[in-house]
């Protein structure tokens, strides 16, 4: 099945238009379509075709290497983009071959050997439609406008199908059917997209609620009953010069300011950060300052967007290869579009200098808890104290009267779970302490916010860095005193110990997690670095293979044409030869076949000379030649001279005068 | 080899050729080949339709040489002992005496050889290859000159058995006479009006001359290039597609000897490629066994060898 005229050209131009590489596409299209106009065709043996298939395969490999070297994340799309160019040699070899088809076995290394089989039957295919399909695939990666792309694709399919339509039905019936199919196809793909989009949205919402940090809302376990579940899954890894074993470290994820019904909320706007032009992996969060500390953090990216857990006062994050990075005024930083393991080298001050100044929301207290909080504030007589004293007093209060517990008691007989915590149980986990503290501070007119994040404390000797597990999640309070924000944590410090006791760390799981981390690191960090530095060198062996293959397949057996000198005719210096006669006669149009002896040759062409008695002149020369070549002793000097003089006479007088072989048909009849 | 020797050998050939041509008209080429085969020490198989003069040619050759001549008419009931001979008990002497068969001769005409069963045909194998026969466990040598000329009808004819491959290989060449030209046939009619010319044929070459001729054939020079060319030709038959059994090394040796004989015939002390090409089909073709698929598609062994001749470049 051959593609209709200009089909390939049109589809290539469409590809070029979509990919913004119209010039390339134009050249390729002109070359391929010129095969229809130009009469030059090549007779190609299977090994020639194999050679071109090899070129394509090596181009493919080379493009993969280049794509990985240049841009790891977009390797696939780069590859798809250049697909039509990669397979251009195969397409061109088909267009310019005499058969117009390509043997299927050229594409399989195993099948190539069969070509040498004598009774080999070629299984040929026309690759033009497959090539067109590649072009369409490639064009589809350009994120084209839906309707334009769909109509173009429909046009090409209709064009191709028009060639093979059944003649039994009239054109109108055929066109109607195609139109119906196209319309229904469009409808179906549109509704499928809608459905996929809707399901996607649901999924995002579902995951957002339960699995990742939502920067706008956090659900606390305040109202739940049972045991607080903890997991020892490693969430992130951090390494820094400043970190000493045994020290604890707060990593901030998100901050909220509004407490409603066991949930903390915030209303804030994210602004995106533009990466610096020179270093696309450097994200400047705040203007550079002099004194910063550095920490290297590795995150796993499960979802499209994640909120980072970082130290306080982040100035910049470098070596982070992500597509997008945003921050809000509460120092929540979220990223999107990156590999599964993200590395970030964070420069930070450790101060809460960049948090937005307090506003009305930072004083809000829910009505239900207001009385209880007022009672506690009165009990501690906080009103007359300074801010510093209040903080000490509150910390002391929680430390002495409350205990840390992972048991969730719900709201019991009280109105809310928080009231239950404050009045009856006096035991809970960090979310209770942080919520209660924040609200209590607001009760005495000190702005306070609820912060979530991780308490990094575990230094892994195996990994030689800090590991942060899911159970290290923590909540605390950001409080505004003396004109700046401070972290204020009232949860009893014993909570780390209690958490660790409750969940035994499995060394085996840790080991596997570490191995997985190392593998990811190898793939995304070391691998990329190596590719950047040495990836280009991979081209060298590829080029070597290409050269070798081309050289190897270059030895094509050519059928011997009449008159071409055979191997045994290499003239030795000083040797007698009949070669001049042979050349001359060959030029006159009487070539000798390699299998013919001289006498058989003259016997064959003799009738053509008509009355000329050329054979009489030839016979003695031939006799001498045969004696020279095949007898035991050859010719003596005199005979040699005689041979040469005879030969010269023959050349000058007889053969020179011979007419050219005039008509093709004549020679054939002689041959 | 001296010039005079060559001329002498050429003379012998001419004498024989002229002598046989008085009986067989218009078969000059065929006689040339038969004489080449005879001089090179091989045996010859003539295959053609009935009545084309096979037996007459064989007899004419036999009669031209002053040597013992015997003839076996092969029939379906012929037995090996009818060819080789048999020990018969003599009651008076009370001993077994050997009655030698027709194989003990110089020239043996095996007429209609493919009418005997393969069992009988195989009796000739030892004698043709080695010049000896084994009877009752005794090895008996045949005469120094032992030449078998066999005739047969094409095996498609009724009442014939195909010759075993081993026996085919023992024949130096298989020749086809074919029908003669119109004028020649008219001449034959004229001559045979009174008597058959073969009855007046007299020997023109003695036994000693034949053995000297055979000795001289082996002295003809063949260049290494041409030896390689002959081996290439024979090897190609073994590698050709559709050939079940290619030509044996015996074929190369025979090709060399017959080509040498032809060179002597042409008054030359060395073989030229023309001689090899001239005789190759007759020497090689009958030894090949073709695939049935190839046979049914109309390819004969002669075509195949001709094809090989045109595919291998010749040293010139």
């Amino acid at each position: 099945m051959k593609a209709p005229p200009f089909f390939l050209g049109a589809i290539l131009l469409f590809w070029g238009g979509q990919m913004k590489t119209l010039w390339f596409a134009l050249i390729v299209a002109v070359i391929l379509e010129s095969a229809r106009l130009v009469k030059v065709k090549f007779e190609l043996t299977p090994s020639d075709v194999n050679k071109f298939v090899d070129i394509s395969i090596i181009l493919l490999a080379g493009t993969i290497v280049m794509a990985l070297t240049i841009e790891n994340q977009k390797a696939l799309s780069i590859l798809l983009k250049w697909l039509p160019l990669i397979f251009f040699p195969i397409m061109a070899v088909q267009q310019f071959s005499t058969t117009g088809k390509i043997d299927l076995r050229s594409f399989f290394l195993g099948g190539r050997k069969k070509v040498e089989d004598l009774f080999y039957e070629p299984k040929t295919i026309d690759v033009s439609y497959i090539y067109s399909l590649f072009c369409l695939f490639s064009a589809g990666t350009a994120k084209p406008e839906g309707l334009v792309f769909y109509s173009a694709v429909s046009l090409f399919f209709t064009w191709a199908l028009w060639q093979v339509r059944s003649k039994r039905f009239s054109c109108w019936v055929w066109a109607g059917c195609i139109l119906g199919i196209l319309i229904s196809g469009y409808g179906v793909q549109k509704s499928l997209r809608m459905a996929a989009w809707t399901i996607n949205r649901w999924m995002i919402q579902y995951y957002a609620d339960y699995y990742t940090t939502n920067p706008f809302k956090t659900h606390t376990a305040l109202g739940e009953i049972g045991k607080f579940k903890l997991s020892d899954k490693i969430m992130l890894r951090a390494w820094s010069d400043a970190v000493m074993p045994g020290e604890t470290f707060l990593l901030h994820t998100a901050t909220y300011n509004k407490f409603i019904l066991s949930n903390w909320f915030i209303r804030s706007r994210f602004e995106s950060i533009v990466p610096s032009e020179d270093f696309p992996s450097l994200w400047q969060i705040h203007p550079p300052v002099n004194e910063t500390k550095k920490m290297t953090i590795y995150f796993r990216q499960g979802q499209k967007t994640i909120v980072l857990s970082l130290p306080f006062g982040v100035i910049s994050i470098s070596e982070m290869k992500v597509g997008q990075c945003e921050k809000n005024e509460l120092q929540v930083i979220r990223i999107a579009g990156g590999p599964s393991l993200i590395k970030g080298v964070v420069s930070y001050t450790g101060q809460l200098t960049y948090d937005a100044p307090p506003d009305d929301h930072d004083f809000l207290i829910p009505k239900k808890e207001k009385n209880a909080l007022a009672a506690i504030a009165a009990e501690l007589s906080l009103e007359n104290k300074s801010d510093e004293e209040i903080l000490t007093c509150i910390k002391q209060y929680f430390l002495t009267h409350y205990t840390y517990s992972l048991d969730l008691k719900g709201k019991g007989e009280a109105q809310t779970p928080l009231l239950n915590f404050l009045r009856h149980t006096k035991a809970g986990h960090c979310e209770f302490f942080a919520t209660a503290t924040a609200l209590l501070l607001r009760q005495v007119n000190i702005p306070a916010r609820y912060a979530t994040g991780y308490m990094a404390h575990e230094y892994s000797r195996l990994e030689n860095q800090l590991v942060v597990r899911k159970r290290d999640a923590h909540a605390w309070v950001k409080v505004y005193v003396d004109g700046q924000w401070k972290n204020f944590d009232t949860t009893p410090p014993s909570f780390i110990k209690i958490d660790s006791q409750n969940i035994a760390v499995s060394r085996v799981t840790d080991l596997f997690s570490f191995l997985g981390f190392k593998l990811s690191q190898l793939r995304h960090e070391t691998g990329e670095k190596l590719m950047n530095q040495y990836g280009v060198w991979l081209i060298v062996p590829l080029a070597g293979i290409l050269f070798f293959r081309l050289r190897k397949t270059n030895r094509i057996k050519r059928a011997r044409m009449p008159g071409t000198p055979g191997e045994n005719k290499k003239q030795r210096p000083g040797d007698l030869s009949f070669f001049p006669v042979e050349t001359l006669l060959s030029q006159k149009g009487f070539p000798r076949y390699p299998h013919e002896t001289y006498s058989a040759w003259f016997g064959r062409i003799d009738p053509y000379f008509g009355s000329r008695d050329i054979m009489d002149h030839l016979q003695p020369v031939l006799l001498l030649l045969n004696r020279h070549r095949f007898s035991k002793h050859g010719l003596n000097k005199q005979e040699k001279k005689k041979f040469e003089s005879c030969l010269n006479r023959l050349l000058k007088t007889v053969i020179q005068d011979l007419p050219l072989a005039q008509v093709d048909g004549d020679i054939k009849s002689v041959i | 080899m001296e010039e005079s020797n060559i001329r002498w050998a050429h003379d012998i050939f001419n004498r024989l050729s002229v002598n046989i041509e008085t009986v067989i008209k218009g078969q000059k080429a065929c006689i040339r080949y038969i004489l080449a085969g005879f001089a090179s020490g091989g045996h010859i198989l003539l295959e053609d339709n009935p009545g084309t003069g096979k037996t007459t040619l064989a007899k004419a050759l036999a009669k031209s040489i002053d040597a013992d001549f015997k003839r076996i008419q092969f029939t379906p009931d012929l037995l090996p002992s009818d060819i080789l001979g048999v020990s018969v008990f003599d009651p008076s002497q009370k001993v077994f005496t050997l009655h030698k068969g027709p194989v003990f001769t110089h020239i043996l005409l095996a007429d209609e050889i493919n009418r005997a069963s393969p069992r009988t045909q195989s009796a000739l194998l030892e004698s043709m290859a080695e010049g000896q026969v084994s009877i009752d466990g005794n090895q008996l040598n045949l005469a120094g000159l032992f030449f078998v000329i066999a005739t047969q009808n094409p095996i498609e004819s009724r009442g014939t058995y195909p010759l075993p491959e081993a026996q085919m290989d023992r024949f130096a060449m298989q020749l086809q006479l074919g029908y003669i030209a119109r004028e020649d046939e008219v001449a034959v009619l004229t001559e045979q009006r009174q008597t058959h010319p073969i009855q007046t044929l007299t020997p023109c070459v003695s036994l000693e001359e034949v053995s000297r001729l055979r000795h001289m054939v082996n002295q003809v020079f063949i260049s290494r290039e041409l030896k390689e060319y002959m081996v290439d030709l024979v090897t190609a038959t073994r590698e050709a597609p559709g050939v079940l059994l290619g030509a044996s090394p015996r074929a190369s040796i025979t090709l060399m000897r017959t080509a040498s004989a032809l060179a002597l015939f042409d008054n030359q002390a060395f073989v030229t490629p023309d001689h090899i090409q001239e005789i190759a089909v007759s020497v090689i073709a009958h030894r090949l066994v073709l695939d049935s698929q190839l046979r049914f598609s109309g390819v004969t062994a002669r075509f195949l060898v001709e094809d090989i001749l045109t595919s291998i470049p010749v040293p010139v």
Side-chain angles (χ1 to χ4, degrees):
Chain A
M1 198 167 67
K2 204 136 186 83
F6 304 114
F7 183 78
L8 279 175
I11 218 160
L12 274 165
L13 289 181
F14 171 64
W15 165 74
Q18 290 286 337
M19 307 303 293
K20 311 267 186 297
T21 49
L22 204 57
W23 278 109
F24 270 119
L26 198 65
I27 294 165
V28 173
V30 165
I31 292 174
L32 288 185
E33 288 299 335
S34 67
R36 291 181 199 287
L37 308 171
V38 183
K39 284 195 175 158
V40 180
K41 288 271 166 19
F42 299 93
E43 201 169 328
L44 294 159
T45 61
S47 63
D48 294 340
V49 179
N50 288 351
K51 190 163 63 179
F52 281 92
V53 174
D54 283 346
I55 293 175
S56 274
I57 289 171
I58 285 161
L59 273 180
L60 184 69
T63 314
I64 291 173
V65 169
M66 290 299 285
L68 286 174
T69 315
I70 296 163
E71 215 155 344
N72 204 350
Q73 269 81 51
K74 291 180 188 161
L76 189 68
S77 65
I78 291 175
L79 186 66
L80 275 174
K81 179 177 175 181
W82 296 109
L83 221 46
L85 279 190
I86 289 168
F87 290 105
F88 167 68
I90 299 180
M91 191 62 232
V93 81
Q94 175 185 301
Q95 292 294 85
F96 284 96
S97 73
T98 44
T99 51
K101 282 183 173 183
I102 284 191
D103 196 324
L104 206 53
R105 298 198 198 181
S106 295
F107 297 105
F108 307 102
L109 284 177
R112 289 183 178 184
K113 285 190 180 156
K114 295 258 173 77
V115 176
E116 289 158 19
D117 191 350
L118 202 82
F119 299 107
Y120 157 74
E121 271 180 45
K123 294 187 176 63
T124 53
I125 52 160
D126 188 321
V127 293
S128 46
Y129 279 120
I130 301 172
Y131 184 73
S132 317
L133 217 57
F134 279 168
C135 293
L136 282 185
F137 263 131
S138 182
T141 56
K143 296 199 181 92
E145 285 172 52
L147 197 61
V148 173
F149 186 70
Y150 185 80
S151 47
V153 170
S154 322
L155 183 75
F156 287 122
F157 271 88
T158 316
W159 191 351
L161 287 172
W162 175 256
Q163 309 294 322
V164 291
R165 72 186 189 283
S166 170
K167 296 277 191 283
R168 281 195 297 156
F169 305 102
S170 78
C171 292
W172 295 109
V173 175
W174 187 86
C177 285
I178 289 284
L179 199 66
I181 290 166
L182 290 182
I183 290 169
S184 58
Y186 186 74
V188 167
Q189 67 99 14
K190 191 97 182 164
S191 48
L192 265 179
R193 274 169 70 123
M194 288 279 285
W197 190 72
T198 316
I199 290 170
N200 212 4
R201 215 176 46 178
W202 287 343
M203 296 288 273
I204 288 168
Q205 246 175 353
Y206 180 81
Y207 278 112
D209 281 354
Y210 286 94
Y211 286 97
T212 60
T213 313
N214 183 340
F216 305 107
K217 170 194 173 184
T218 183
H219 174 83
T220 65
L222 254 49
E224 289 169 19
I225 298 172
K227 188 116 178 144
F228 193 70
K229 289 191 183 64
L230 297 166
S231 144
D232 64 344
K233 186 184 168 194
I234 295 173
M235 299 303 284
L236 57 98
R237 292 170 163 84
W239 184 86
S240 159
D241 289 333
V243 174
M244 301 293 285
E247 209 178 332
T248 60
F249 234 91
L250 272 179
L251 293 176
H252 170 246
T253 309
T255 301
Y256 309 91
N257 60 7
K258 200 170 178 187
F259 183 68
I260 304 166
L261 287 174
S262 300
N263 291 324
W264 281 94
F265 295 91
I266 189 156
R267 209 171 276 168
S268 72
R269 215 167 43 77
F270 275 94
E271 55 175 301
S272 68
I273 300 158
V274 185
S276 74
E277 278 179 13
D278 300 334
F279 306 100
S281 58
L282 172 67
W283 304 85
Q284 196 72 43
I285 312 289
H286 291 290
V289 293
N290 282 336
E291 280 178 36
T292 55
K293 294 178 234 174
K294 280 215 164 152
M295 182 183 266
T296 308
I297 302 186
Y298 290 96
F299 311 93
R300 284 218 164 265
Q301 185 172 31
Q303 281 78 33
K304 243 182 170 174
T305 317
I306 60 165
V307 176
L308 298 184
S309 304
L310 299 168
F312 301 103
V314 177
I315 301 297
S316 68
I317 307 175
S318 56
E319 293 182 38
M320 184 166 73
K321 294 191 177 76
V322 292
Q324 200 185 350
C325 180
E326 296 171 316
K327 67 163 182 181
N328 71 1
E329 63 266 35
L330 296 172
Q331 299 312 303
V332 180
I333 294 167
R334 70 175 181 186
I335 55 164
S340 60
L341 183 79
I342 296 170
K343 181 193 183 183
V345 179
V346 186
S347 313
Y348 65 100
T349 58
Q351 306 296 317
L352 296 180
T353 31
Y354 299 107
D355 285 51
D359 58 12
D360 292 348
H361 292 289
D362 299 326
F363 297 97
L364 285 178
I365 304 168
K367 277 177 191 161
K368 285 175 187 170
E369 280 92 3
K370 202 163 173 89
N371 287 336
L373 291 168
I376 293 168
E379 182 191 330
L380 299 175
S381 56
L382 296 174
E383 258 112 40
N384 307 322
K385 292 179 176 159
S386 70
D387 289 356
E388 286 296 328
E389 284 169 340
I390 291 171
L391 293 186
T392 328
C393 190
I394 288 176
K395 192 153 191 170
Q396 198 61 37
Y397 168 73
F398 280 110
L399 204 59
T400 47
H401 293 86
Y402 292 76
T403 53
Y404 185 78
S405 160
L406 289 169
D407 295 328
L408 299 171
K409 298 272 167 55
K411 55 184 179 179
E413 289 167 12
Q415 216 174 355
T416 67
L418 192 64
L419 286 175
N420 195 22
F421 166 74
L422 290 173
R423 284 181 177 155
H424 306 289
T425 60
K426 305 223 174 209
H429 60 275
C430 55
E431 288 176 344
F432 282 101
F433 285 96
T435 309
T437 309
L439 296 181
L440 191 60
L441 285 167
R442 289 176 180 188
Q443 180 65 33
V444 291
N445 284 327
I446 299 174
R449 286 169 183 170
Y450 175 87
T452 61
Y454 291 94
M455 172 70 91
H457 59 88
E458 187 180 341
Y459 187 82
S460 166
R461 292 197 178 280
L462 172 76
E463 306 187 15
N464 201 19
Q465 60 193 347
L466 280 172
V467 292
V468 178
R469 297 170 192 278
K470 201 168 185 180
R471 61 138 197 258
D472 296 333
H474 191 47
W476 66 94
V477 173
K478 282 183 180 175
V479 60
Y480 192 76
V481 286
D482 299 337
Q484 63 172 344
W485 288 100
K486 271 184 183 170
N487 289 314
F488 181 53
D489 192 355
T490 52
T491 313
S494 60
F495 84 95
I496 294 170
K497 221 168 150 191
I498 295 171
D499 283 356
S500 313
Q501 279 165 358
N502 273 290
I503 289 287
V505 174
S506 159
R507 284 178 180 277
V508 179
T509 327
D510 273 9
L511 189 65
F512 274 106
S513 167
F514 181 53
L515 286 179
F517 165 71
K518 275 287 167 197
L519 269 178
S520 293
Q521 204 181 16
L522 196 71
R523 186 174 140 222
H524 291 296
E525 197 182 331
T526 321
E528 199 168 323
K529 215 178 270 172
L530 281 178
M531 281 304 273
N532 279 337
Q533 282 176 358
Y534 305 109
V536 182
W537 292 104
L538 279 178
I539 303 218
V540 173
L542 281 175
I545 293 168
L546 182 69
F547 176 74
F548 181 69
R549 289 286 317 176
L550 292 188
R551 217 180 65 92
K552 211 173 139 195
T553 48
N554 231 347
R555 295 183 201 133
I556 301 162
K557 266 191 191 170
R558 265 200 353 220
R560 278 231 191 109
M561 298 302 286
T564 51
E567 280 169 25
N568 46 26
K569 241 173 283 130
K570 278 170 196 155
Q571 198 178 353
R572 291 177 291 266
D575 196 5
L576 301 182
S577 172
F578 205 56
F579 195 54
V581 175
E582 200 179 337
T583 324
L584 203 64
L585 277 175
S586 185
Q587 281 167 2
K588 297 258 180 197
F590 306 104
R592 185 184 72 87
Y593 289 113
H595 65 83
E596 273 181 323
T597 60
Y598 283 128
S599 50
W601 176 37
F602 290 130
R604 176 166 64 81
I605 61 179
D606 185 43
Y608 195 77
F609 302 143
S611 57
R612 284 161 222 267
D613 44 359
I614 187 167
M615 286 303 272
D616 295 346
H617 290 88
L618 275 170
Q619 253 352 314
V621 185
L622 262 187
L623 272 176
L624 281 172
L625 180 74
N626 274 343
R627 269 185 63 195
H628 168 63
R629 290 278 286 121
F630 301 113
S631 73
K632 202 168 183 177
H633 305 295
L635 302 179
N636 57 32
K637 267 189 180 173
Q638 263 184 329
E639 285 166 327
K640 276 185 185 173
K641 269 186 186 164
K642 192 181 165 196
F643 174 82
E644 266 162 13
S645 65
C646 278
L647 193 71
N648 282 337
R649 200 170 55 233
L650 193 68
L651 283 173
K652 277 179 187 153
T653 59
V654 189
I655 297 181
Q656 285 277 326
D657 300 339
L658 280 181
L660 287 173
Q662 285 152 0
V663 199
D664 278 4
D666 249 336
I667 295 185
K668 267 175 201 161
S669 65
V670 176
I671 288 169
Chain B
M1 207 160 38
E2 290 167 28
E3 287 275 320
S4 59
N5 281 346
I6 298 165
R7 215 170 302 122
W8 175 83
H10 177 65
D11 245 30
I12 295 280
F13 272 118
N14 263 348
R15 246 155 51 198
L16 277 170
S17 178
V18 168
N19 206 31
I20 294 171
E21 270 175 65
T22 57
V23 183
I24 300 290
K25 302 285 177 201
Q27 295 283 12
K28 210 170 167 127
C30 202
I31 291 164
R32 180 177 148 94
Y33 298 153
I34 287 180
L35 290 180
F38 173 70
S40 66
H43 310 288
I44 285 168
L45 177 63
L46 296 172
E47 182 190 89
D48 217 318
N49 295 325
T52 45
K54 302 184 293 289
T55 311
T56 315
L57 178 58
K59 276 167 77 179
L61 173 65
K63 280 200 152 191
S64 301
I65 295 156
D66 188 16
D68 285 348
F69 168 65
K70 275 182 186 149
R71 169 193 179 135
I72 310 170
Q73 190 65 37
F74 277 61
T75 55
D77 63 344
L78 195 76
L79 292 174
S81 56
D82 294 335
I83 296 173
L84 302 178
V86 67
S87 295
V88 179
F89 187 68
D90 184 354
S92 59
Q93 303 267 323
K94 295 197 175 176
V95 285
F96 280 95
T97 49
L98 178 66
H99 285 244
K100 288 184 175 177
V103 77
F104 289 91
T105 182
H106 291 128
I107 296 176
L108 178 69
L109 170 59
D111 207 19
E112 308 269 356
I113 192 171
N114 61 344
R115 297 213 179 268
S117 65
R119 173 194 176 197
T120 314
Q121 283 170 5
S122 47
L124 280 171
L125 289 180
E126 188 187 2
S127 56
M128 285 172 73
E130 292 162 56
Q132 63 176 40
V133 289
S134 302
I135 305 172
D136 296 340
N138 298 319
Q139 283 188 3
L140 300 169
N141 284 327
L142 298 178
L145 171 71
F146 177 65
F147 173 64
V148 177
I149 181 161
T151 71
Q152 73 167 7
N153 289 318
I155 48 164
E156 288 84 1
S157 295
R158 273 166 249 174
T160 59
Y161 299 92
L163 261 63
E165 289 85 10
Q167 190 167 2
M168 284 301 258
D169 197 33
R170 276 159 175 74
F171 283 106
M173 54 176 81
Q174 176 181 330
L175 297 170
Q176 284 167 341
L177 297 182
Y179 297 111
I180 50 177
R182 188 165 173 271
E183 301 86 64
D184 290 328
E185 203 163 337
V186 173
V188 168
L189 292 187
T190 320
E191 282 183 6
Q192 298 200 4
R193 203 147 162 89
Q194 302 301 326
T195 53
H196 199 289
I198 199 161
Q199 281 160 10
T200 57
L201 201 67
T202 50
C204 61
V205 174
S206 71
L207 210 55
E208 286 75 38
E209 283 173 319
V210 170
S211 68
R212 190 176 162 203
L213 182 68
R214 285 193 167 189
H215 177 70
M216 286 185 66
V217 164
N218 291 336
Q219 308 218 316
V220 172
F221 178 77
I222 298 189
S223 71
R224 186 180 167 77
E225 244 180 311
L226 290 181
K227 283 179 190 158
E228 281 169 359
Y229 176 59
M230 286 189 289
V231 171
D232 285 347
L233 284 178
V234 171
T235 317
T237 66
R238 296 172 203 158
E239 287 159 359
V243 174
L244 295 181
L245 181 68
S248 56
R250 186 183 278 156
S252 339
I253 297 167
T254 313
L255 186 58
M256 178 181 71
R257 287 195 180 150
T258 46
S260 309
L262 281 181
L264 274 187
F265 216 128
D266 290 346
N267 206 4
Q268 285 179 340
F270 55 90
V271 176
T272 64
D274 293 294
H275 296 132
I276 297 169
Q277 290 196 344
E278 189 182 355
I279 203 80
V281 174
S282 301
V283 171
I284 297 173
H286 66 284
R287 299 167 203 260
L288 306 183
V289 180
L290 300 190
D291 194 4
S292 55
Q293 212 176 350
L294 209 63
R295 264 198 342 257
F296 292 141
S297 63
V299 177
T300 64
R302 296 181 77 90
F303 281 161
L304 202 109
V305 178
E306 276 164 14
D307 213 39
I308 288 169
L309 275 174
T310 59
S311 69
I312 295 178
V314 64
V316 286

